[in-house]
Amino acid sequence: MKNKYFAWLFVTLMILSLLVACGSSSTPEEAETPAETQAEEQPDASTEEEAAGDQFAGEELTMIYFDATYAKAAEEAIAEFEEKTGAKVTLVTAPYASLYEKEFTDLVTSGGAYDVMQVASQWDGQFAPYMASIEEYLANDPDTNINDFIPGVARVTGV
């Protein structure tokens, strides 16, 4: 159960990171200066995020992604996720031509090699019986609101 929560936490962070990256539209003229950025920062060592920094210390999460844009985005989010959770993340990449075979074989054989998988939407029907629903996690996470996600992205990712 802890691994499923852990995986959900990582997936949420990944989606939020991608949305933030895609939503950034400031031009150099609009960008904040370092002084403005520092003025807005309010260091508080007792924040929940910092307190949760070691919540998953010693835990490991293995994920597999298509060796392209998605894997690069995941790779960029790993350091932040590890820092915030205390867990270690291993990213496995695969070319699209072998991604389905690696993932589906692991699911069918209950191999358990991957905690998080990037599943192409055309495979959803075959993969669904092996996947955990995120609805329970959404209901129990007051900081995550499904309405904050792009509706099309939320719909095709299995909500």
Side-chain angles (χ1 to χ4, degrees):
M1 179 67 184
K2 192 173 186 179
N3 234 8
K4 286 183 181 178
Y5 174 75
F6 182 60
W8 161 242
L9 185 63
F10 186 79
V11 170
T12 301
L13 180 63
M14 281 296 306
I15 292 171
L16 291 174
S17 297
L18 290 171
L19 290 175
V20 168
C22 291
S24 178
S25 63
S26 64
T27 61
E29 299 84 37
E30 295 171 336
E32 296 177 344
T33 64
E36 290 171 334
T37 303
Q38 289 175 356
E40 291 178 14
E41 293 178 10
Q42 299 174 353
D44 180 7
S46 63
T47 64
E48 287 182 33
E49 278 185 12
E50 291 173 1
D54 291 327
Q55 181 179 2
F56 295 100
E59 295 286 330
E60 293 186 24
L61 185 67
T62 302
M63 51 192 224
I64 183 168
Y65 276 79
F66 169 42
D67 191 17
T69 307
Y70 297 111
K72 288 176 181 35
E75 192 173 330
E76 290 179 16
I78 288 174
E80 180 182 359
F81 181 80
E82 290 178 334
E83 181 181 323
K84 288 184 176 187
T85 64
K88 170 146 177 39
V89 176
T90 301
L91 174 63
V92 176
T93 61
Y96 185 79
S98 65
L99 187 65
Y100 173 90
E101 180 182 349
K102 288 178 182 292
E103 293 178 346
F104 200 63
T105 300
D106 190 59
L107 292 172
V108 170
T109 62
S110 300
Y114 312 111
D115 301 300
V116 176
M117 294 180 174
Q118 175 201 347
V119 177
S121 60
Q122 64 268 25
W123 308 334
D124 285 352
Q126 293 170 302
F127 282 55
Y130 303 97
M131 298 294 182
S133 171
I134 65 169
E135 291 191 20
E136 174 187 339
Y137 301 104
L138 289 172
N140 294 320
D141 185 353
D143 297 328
T144 304
N145 181 348
I146 194 63
N147 295 323
D148 292 340
F149 294 88
I150 299 169
V153 172
R155 188 177 54 256
V156 300
T157 56
V159 177

